[in-house]
Amino acid sequence: MPPVTEDRRLLNFASQIEGGALAQARQTASMPFIHPHVALMPDAHLGKGSAVGTVIPTLGVVIPAAVGVDIGCGMIGVRTEFTEDDVDARIAATGVGLGALRLEIERAIPLSPGHYNADLDSWPFTAAKIAELEKRARREHVDLAHSPKWRQQLGSLGGGNHFIELCLDETDRVWLFLHSGSRGVGNKIAQHHIQVAQRLCGQRHIKLPNRDLAYLTEGTPEFDQYIRELNWAQRFAYLNRAEMMDRFGAVFARWMGAEDHRETERVNCHHNYTQRERHGGKDVWLTRKGAVDAHAGVRAMIPGSMGTHSYVVEGKGNAEGLCSAPHGAGRRFSRTEAKRRFTQADLRARMRGIEYRDSAEFVDEIPDAYKEISTVMADARDLVTVLHELRQIVNVKGT
């Protein structure tokens, strides 16, 4: 949809949005360092400090709470040479169904908050990723004393709306797909710098419309340290997804009786992060809080909710949208409200035909708790081109 100009410095691409999220976006847009405007994505909804689905360009400052506590959270998808017919033939030949594959995935990748890897030697591709992160931490003077088990966190999923899925696209080609971020170590980094920003703004008697809009100013030691640690956490999140995908691929190949998973395409993208970009004729720090990079030709993944379709997209470079696009369906109801409204039986009905762990603990992730992904994608038609539409046949979630 064409953006709605909410005021001079706020453009809204969402046809369905709650008043609270709009109010948060207006607060963010009122900050004096915004340039050229804030863009509200089609999946925008109420968040902490600023709405999830807000793209925030800032001159000379960064707002740590706007980046959020799951630094670098995002998606990774891999297209394979396998097809639905190959999967069906394998089940027919072995009698081993998708339930067994789901259990193998759950054994290979630690799920849920606080669950880490018991050792670092189970997979041959893990050591190189850890070595890269260790080297970067030394070079950039990243303080990881708060997270002595960060290495064990690499290759773990987390909980909430994080997931792992086996999907089929519009040609019935098999995709491996998952959603996760920087885990506990990213959270610790974020929480520290949010507190630093709030303390410094308080010391300088800066009046904020919301304390979670506290910012760090370019050229200060605190800003420099945040950017170094932010970049490290973003890289951790990227490699965390890559590690899980490597394990997922190995497990899927073994289940298929193949030597490898026959990867033909890989997309790995953040949707909670900050980086330097040029918008409105100026260099800004662009924070995508629940949004993906949609510069012309850039590929990204936009997931639906549990039990609904997801999309592989290519950016159109829309300047009004700050070369960004939505990161998913966006919540309609809080987790508490979803549990009040829906039951495990409702979830079973919505997940019919999909292999998943049947548990009441996932009721708050029911598709009905989210916006219709078809509406979100219709609103995003000026931001991205859809390349592939995915439907899941296996879903794995942490609690």
Side-chain angles (χ1 to χ4, degrees):
M1 61 173 278
V4 175
T5 305
E6 298 292 341
D7 59 44
R8 185 173 58 87
R9 299 208 297 176
L10 174 60
L11 294 183
N12 172 27
F13 286 82
S15 63
Q16 299 178 357
I17 186 165
E18 60 200 311
L22 263 180
Q24 284 186 322
R26 291 188 181 111
Q27 276 191 345
T28 304
S30 74
M31 302 296 281
F33 40 71
I34 296 295
H35 174 84
H37 59 264
V38 166
L40 208 50
M41 294 292 100
D43 58 336
H45 60 92
L46 202 65
K48 183 175 173 57
S50 52
V52 178
T54 310
V55 184
I56 309 168
T58 51
L59 294 169
V61 308
V62 170
I63 305 170
V67 180
V69 296
D70 196 357
I71 297 170
C73 188
M75 315 298 306
I76 184 171
V78 163
R79 194 184 194 200
T80 77
E81 293 180 347
F82 291 106
T83 66
E84 182 179 27
D85 286 345
D86 295 326
V87 171
D88 290 344
R90 180 65 177 171
I91 294 171
T94 63
V96 179
L98 293 174
L101 174 60
R102 176 178 61 79
L103 291 173
E104 284 297 317
I105 295 167
E106 292 176 352
R107 281 189 281 267
I109 298 171
L111 310 176
S112 307
H115 289 197
Y116 306 147
N117 295 281
D119 62 72
L120 305 176
D121 305 318
S122 298
W123 304 90
F125 37 70
T126 307
K129 298 184 186 76
I130 289 176
E132 177 188 332
L133 290 165
E134 288 174 335
K135 181 178 179 180
R136 185 166 190 154
R138 289 193 300 269
R139 184 180 70 238
E140 300 296 328
H141 304 289
V142 175
D143 181 8
L144 297 171
H146 49 63
S147 300
K149 291 190 175 182
W150 69 262
R151 295 169 185 83
Q152 286 81 5
Q153 294 173 22
L154 187 77
S156 63
L157 183 67
N161 60 357
H162 293 170
F163 64 78
I164 304 166
E165 290 182 340
L166 188 72
C167 299
L168 302 171
D169 67 15
E170 68 285 348
T171 66
D172 291 334
R173 188 74 66 86
V174 172
W175 283 74
L176 316 181
F177 187 37
L178 64 86
H179 170 206
S180 191
S182 55
R183 306 296 288 108
V185 63
N187 186 294
K188 291 284 184 63
I189 288 170
Q191 295 284 7
H192 169 73
H193 291 286
I194 289 169
Q195 291 169 14
V196 170
Q198 290 173 344
R199 175 173 55 79
L200 291 177
C201 284
Q203 289 173 354
R204 296 167 186 163
H205 306 291
I206 295 170
K207 292 185 178 180
L208 300 167
N210 185 311
R211 73 189 304 263
D212 283 318
L213 291 176
Y215 54 88
L216 298 171
T217 303
E218 203 166 0
T220 64
E222 293 86 358
F223 180 95
D224 293 342
Q225 185 67 19
Y226 176 58
I227 294 301
R228 286 196 300 270
E229 297 194 356
L230 173 79
N231 288 335
W232 186 91
Q234 288 175 181
R235 186 59 181 168
F236 179 95
Y238 185 96
L239 292 176
N240 184 45
R241 290 191 293 275
E243 173 71 15
M244 286 186 284
M245 183 56 71
D246 290 344
R247 296 184 192 185
F248 188 7
V251 167
F252 177 67
R254 185 165 62 238
W255 183 83
M256 286 293 300
E259 291 185 5
D260 61 56
H261 60 284
R262 302 180 192 171
E263 179 174 333
T264 63
E265 179 182 350
R266 179 176 289 218
V267 181
N268 192 344
C269 63
H270 297 321
H271 55 226
N272 288 348
Y273 70 113
T274 288
Q275 65 182 19
R276 291 289 275 176
E277 294 187 11
R278 191 164 183 83
H279 294 277
K282 295 184 179 182
D283 293 329
V284 300
W285 289 98
L286 193 78
T287 295
R288 293 185 172 96
K289 181 186 176 81
V292 296
D293 186 348
H295 278 86
V298 173
R299 295 191 171 194
M301 312 287 297
I302 301 178
S305 53
M306 184 179 183
T308 62
H309 289 192
S310 298
Y311 297 86
V312 184
V313 301
E314 184 174 274
K316 291 185 174 182
N318 185 305
E320 290 184 317
L322 301 174
C323 299
S324 302
H327 80 312
R331 292 196 75 91
R332 293 175 59 221
F333 303 121
S334 69
R335 297 188 181 280
T336 300
E337 180 64 14
K339 287 179 178 178
R340 188 186 72 80
R341 285 173 176 259
F342 306 110
T343 66
Q344 186 176 0
D346 294 328
L347 180 60
R348 283 183 188 137
R350 296 294 259 119
M351 294 296 287
R352 190 171 292 118
I354 301 169
E355 171 59 41
Y356 79 111
R357 187 160 17 109
D358 184 9
S359 172
E361 63 190 337
F362 301 135
V363 168
D364 59 358
E365 283 292 297
I366 192 170
D368 307 78
Y370 287 82
K371 295 182 180 181
E372 287 286 346
I373 189 63
S374 57
T375 301
V376 171
M377 297 308 297
D379 288 351
R381 62 182 176 272
D382 293 334
L383 305 176
V384 292
T385 299
V386 173
L387 302 178
H388 300 289
E389 184 173 350
L390 310 182
R391 63 191 191 277
Q392 63 271 80
I393 55 176
V394 176
N395 172 275
V396 173
K397 293 185 72 66
T399 55

